[in-house]
Amino acid sequence: MRALLVVNPAATTTSARTRDVLIHALASEMKLEAVTTEYRGHARDLGRQAAESGNIDLVVALGGDGTVNEVVNGLLHAGPAPEQLPRLAVVPGGSTNVFARALGLPNDAVEATGAILDALREGSERTVGMGIASGTPGTEDEGVPARWFTFCAGLGFDAGVVGRVEQQRERGKKSTHALYLRQVVRQFLQEPNRRHGTITLEQPGQDPVTDLVLSIVCNTSPWTYLGNRPVYASPKASFDTGLDVLGLSRMSTVAVARYGTQLLASSPERGPHGKHVTSLHDLTEFTLHSKVPLPLQMDGDHLGLRTSVTFTGVRRALRVIV
């Protein structure tokens, strides 16, 4: 088997020594080329080269969700073709690793490598769906390049939190759950649209959902993790269906306390609920419009401000080793 290992040297939970051990373990089972990323977008470029080469059977991403997102965008640059594209394997090396954990992999890099090698020996894989977000035709954002995401996207409040976390990390702060929670509080205190949302969700053949403050798009469940605790924004979301959406139309102090508590207590059976909650399941295509520019995030990566984004759920987009 010919494999490409894409290594993010800045992965927060793996040391150089651990990465060397993992590379050695993988190389003992396959013809392996290991490449260390050197710039933002490098993992995407490597994934695209692997897809276009025609001689790579497997691409292994060693890093966090951002590295995985880049690799996936490279592999799917020309569109989904599961039977022709290299398969994907993920060794978690980030602080949260939502995609890898949603696939059922251990959160420890060494254990996950062992699980991947076992899966390869047994021929165990699954074909998963992905989401893609693009600029909406006829709007000022129509020229924005399309981008794939593996587990979640968001327009509005949660994307603002992601942007704040990225700013703190650029200042040298470590990515911790406490850092995220502090930025949630700061985003809430400074959120100008928390009582009167600016987002409208439109989908073909359905009445629009208006005045949303928060909109979270899920391609799988759970939405994220707080330590070892899974958080379910859209419990029914799955790699085998379309996209799910959680929307909130009110973010007063009382509402945030209620829905925040529901999120922390969420389970595979029940997520946030109430009169200000919109929960939609298994959508193939929909558009989020905003009256004002709002932050957009995908897989925990802040992508700037948008006023209109069209989302598409693509079933059976990529083969993954599990």
Side-chain angles (χ1 to χ4, degrees):
M1 176 179 291
R2 294 159 298 181
L4 171 68
L5 174 65
V6 179
V7 181
N8 180 0
T12 55
T13 58
T14 55
S15 65
R17 179 175 294 178
T18 300
R19 291 192 290 271
D20 287 343
V21 170
L22 300 181
I23 291 171
H24 180 76
L26 291 167
S28 67
E29 300 279 342
M30 62 192 74
K31 185 177 180 181
L32 184 72
E33 177 187 5
V35 180
T36 299
T37 57
E38 298 177 357
Y39 53 87
R40 185 165 186 165
H42 193 184
R44 180 195 61 228
D45 295 341
L46 293 169
R48 179 177 178 178
Q49 291 166 16
E52 293 175 345
S53 71
N55 60 9
I56 298 294
D57 302 303
L58 174 70
V59 177
V60 183
L62 170 52
D65 288 310
T67 303
V68 176
N69 179 279
E70 286 196 14
V71 169
V72 166
N73 272 275
L75 289 172
L76 296 177
H77 175 78
E83 301 307 317
Q84 285 75 48
L85 291 172
R87 290 169 292 172
L88 172 69
V90 178
V91 178
S95 57
T96 310
N97 308 305
V98 178
F99 181 67
R101 295 163 83 176
L103 288 170
L105 289 169
N107 197 36
D108 176 81
V110 175
E111 291 183 13
T113 300
I116 289 168
L117 291 174
D118 288 343
L120 286 168
R121 295 185 193 108
E122 297 167 4
S124 176
E125 63 180 54
R126 64 182 291 193
T127 303
V128 300
M130 296 287 179
I132 186 169
S134 56
T136 306
T139 71
E140 62 185 52
D141 290 328
E142 65 178 335
V144 175
R147 178 161 171 163
W148 295 86
F149 59 97
T150 66
F151 66 92
C152 84
L155 181 70
F157 182 86
D158 77 306
V161 173
V162 169
R164 289 176 178 273
V165 170
E166 287 191 3
Q167 289 177 350
Q168 294 298 313
R169 292 186 66 181
E170 289 171 358
R171 295 170 184 167
K173 299 290 181 66
K174 290 186 177 181
S175 179
T176 64
H177 299 298
L179 175 64
Y180 272 89
L181 292 174
R182 286 197 299 271
Q183 302 316 311
V184 167
V185 173
R186 290 174 181 173
Q187 180 69 21
F188 169 72
L189 294 175
Q190 298 178 26
E191 174 60 58
N193 305 304
R194 68 189 186 193
R195 292 186 181 275
H196 303 286
T198 66
I199 302 170
T200 296
L201 186 153
E202 296 180 352
Q203 56 174 319
Q206 302 291 329
D207 292 334
V209 181
T210 61
D211 302 325
L212 297 175
V213 181
L214 174 149
S215 53
I216 296 172
V217 182
C218 292
N219 186 48
T220 189
S221 187
W223 165 53
T224 190
Y225 291 83
L226 287 176
N228 291 321
R229 178 191 290 273
V231 180
Y232 298 88
S234 296
K236 295 181 180 179
S238 167
F239 288 128
D240 300 320
T241 62
L243 301 174
D244 284 26
V245 181
L246 171 70
L248 295 182
S249 59
R250 179 69 63 85
M251 290 195 70
S252 63
T253 302
V254 173
V256 167
R258 178 186 301 120
Y259 301 128
T261 299
Q262 290 178 358
L263 270 174
L264 292 175
S266 59
S267 70
E269 289 74 39
R270 194 171 199 190
H273 51 278
K275 67 177 182 178
H276 299 298
V277 176
T278 296
S279 294
L280 301 173
H281 174 57
D282 195 12
L283 305 185
T284 298
E285 184 173 322
F286 61 93
T287 297
L288 296 176
H289 299 284
S290 175
K291 299 172 186 176
V292 298
L294 292 177
L296 172 70
Q297 68 88 10
M298 277 187 265
D299 288 345
D301 189 9
H302 187 270
L303 300 178
L305 302 178
R306 302 284 191 275
T307 56
S308 187
V309 187
T310 295
F311 292 89
T312 304
V314 180
R315 291 172 171 81
R316 298 185 57 80
L318 199 62
R319 292 180 299 163
V320 181
I321 302 299
V322 287

